[in-house]
Amino acid sequence: MINTQIKPFNATAFKNGEFVEISEKDVLGKWAVFFFYPADFTFVCPTELGDIADNYAELQSRGVEVFSVSTDTHFTHKAWHASSDTIGKIQYYMVGDQAGNITNNFNVMREGQGLADRATFLIDPEGTIQAMEITAEGIGRDAQDLLRKVKAAQYVAAHPGEVCPAKWKEGEETLTPSLDLVGKI
């Protein structure tokens, strides 16, 4: 999936109190995160979505749009948004994918269950997948680690020829792969 283009899609999302139609065209031209989760009104999912909501302003300041996706409907997203304080603070897109088209496009549909895996994809402005993470049912994701990956991907995109080493944080030293560097790390 890494370095592949996102596939065309159309869906209805809940955002800022309204239902909005979205497609892959809404993703192109900016950085985007697709944040798949199994289901609304569950247990780990709201903690993850709330964590993303708490970091949404910083993601937005970096030119990143967030699309949370489950196989629930946009109506269910609206009901959950209205009934949960944690989910009620979400300002990003909550995409209804009840037919599973987007979930299948990203190959994260649980076979025979109709539910998405817990998966995150970072998409660059050209629509290319730059990073992905898939975790088991009981393992929640961390928005701060996602933000670190966003910063690294944006840095590498802006600085061809440089790479970000393990645990790299913004402002730290990067590496420039070369013959002289072989065996020196």
Side-chain angles (χ1 to χ4, degrees):
M1 298 279 306
I2 297 296
N3 291 323
T4 63
Q5 294 293 118
I6 60 167
K7 296 178 181 176
F9 70 88
N10 290 290
T12 304
F14 178 73
K15 186 175 195 289
N16 295 328
E18 298 181 359
F19 295 133
V20 293
E21 297 301 315
I22 62 167
S23 74
E24 77 284 353
K25 293 177 184 81
D26 295 299
V27 178
L28 300 175
K30 63 184 134 228
W31 288 86
V33 168
F34 277 74
F35 198 81
F36 291 89
Y37 63 98
D40 290 1
F41 295 100
T42 56
F43 314 103
V44 175
C45 301
T47 66
E48 295 180 309
L49 295 169
D51 190 28
I52 293 287
D54 292 341
N55 289 274
Y56 184 59
E58 187 168 359
L59 287 162
Q60 286 275 276
S61 76
R62 300 195 69 83
V64 179
E65 186 54 76
V66 175
F67 300 85
S68 65
V69 184
S70 77
T71 54
D72 297 290
T73 69
H74 53 287
F75 299 112
T76 306
H77 293 330
K78 180 187 182 307
W80 196 24
H81 195 273
S83 67
S84 165
D85 290 341
T86 299
I87 301 306
K89 62 186 174 181
I90 291 174
Q91 297 177 337
Y92 50 80
Y93 292 91
M94 297 181 76
V95 182
D97 187 33
Q98 61 272 22
N101 295 326
I102 303 168
T103 305
N104 281 313
N105 282 354
F106 282 87
N107 294 322
V108 294
M109 180 69 81
R110 294 181 187 173
E111 191 172 332
Q113 295 183 31
L115 299 174
D117 280 326
R118 202 174 297 291
T120 309
F121 294 85
L122 175 59
I123 316 298
D124 72 17
E126 289 75 43
T128 304
I129 299 171
Q130 293 297 322
M132 61 184 277
E133 174 184 27
I134 303 172
T135 65
E137 178 68 27
I139 302 171
R141 294 159 286 178
D142 183 335
Q144 283 295 305
D145 191 49
L146 172 60
L147 194 52
R148 184 190 67 78
K149 290 173 187 173
V150 166
K151 291 174 183 178
Q154 289 179 334
Y155 183 90
V156 169
H159 299 88
E162 293 184 45
V163 295
C164 296
K167 301 193 301 185
W168 179 85
K169 302 271 192 287
E170 190 173 36
E172 292 181 351
E173 192 173 326
T174 59
L175 301 172
T176 304
S178 68
L179 187 58
D180 294 338
L181 195 58
V182 174
K184 303 278 194 293
I185 299 173

